[in-house]
């Protein structure tokens, strides 16, 4: 169980690093990105482990990756400026 949580935290850190490296112009500060990635992975591991039981280690890591990626996607900002209409 402890190794599974540690693996999930490392997976969340790797996903957060990849997102911060690739999408740095669209994300907030790096510490927030890293904390969100790790927390999302740990929460995803917890939810998947609770739903499937202790026999599904790889599936728990898959759930951790999915929730971590989903939580990181919530931090994305739009690329350009918002355009205003002519009437505004």
């Amino acid at each position: 169980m402890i190794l599974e949580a540690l693996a999930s935290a490392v997976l969340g850190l790797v996903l957060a690093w990849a997102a911060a490296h690739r999408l740095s112009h669209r994300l907030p500060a790096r510490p927030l990105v890293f904390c969100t990635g790790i927390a999302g992975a740990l929460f995803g591991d917890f939810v998947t482990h609770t739903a499937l039981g202790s026999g599904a280690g790889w599936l728990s890591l898959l759930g951790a990756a999915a929730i971590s990626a989903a939580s990181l996607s919530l931090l994305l900002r739009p690329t350009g400026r918002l355009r205003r209409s002519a009437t505004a």
Side-chain angles (χ1 to χ4, degrees):
M1 177 88 175
I2 291 177
L3 289 176
E4 187 178 329
L6 184 62
S8 295
V10 169
L11 180 64
L13 185 64
V14 168
L15 285 173
W17 176 82
H21 180 69
R22 184 134 170 99
L23 300 168
S24 62
H25 61 285
R26 294 185 60 195
L27 288 170
R30 282 186 183 238
L32 178 65
V33 173
F34 289 138
C35 290
T36 302
I38 293 171
L42 288 173
F43 182 68
D45 181 43
F46 171 72
V47 168
T48 311
H49 183 83
T50 303
L52 299 177
S54 62
W58 291 105
L59 291 175
S60 292
L61 290 177
L62 184 66
I67 300 295
S68 179
S71 61
L72 286 170
S73 73
L74 295 175
L75 295 177
L76 288 174
R77 294 181 291 197
T79 55
R81 287 196 220 184
L82 296 176
R83 295 181 185 178
R84 290 190 171 189
S85 64
T87 58

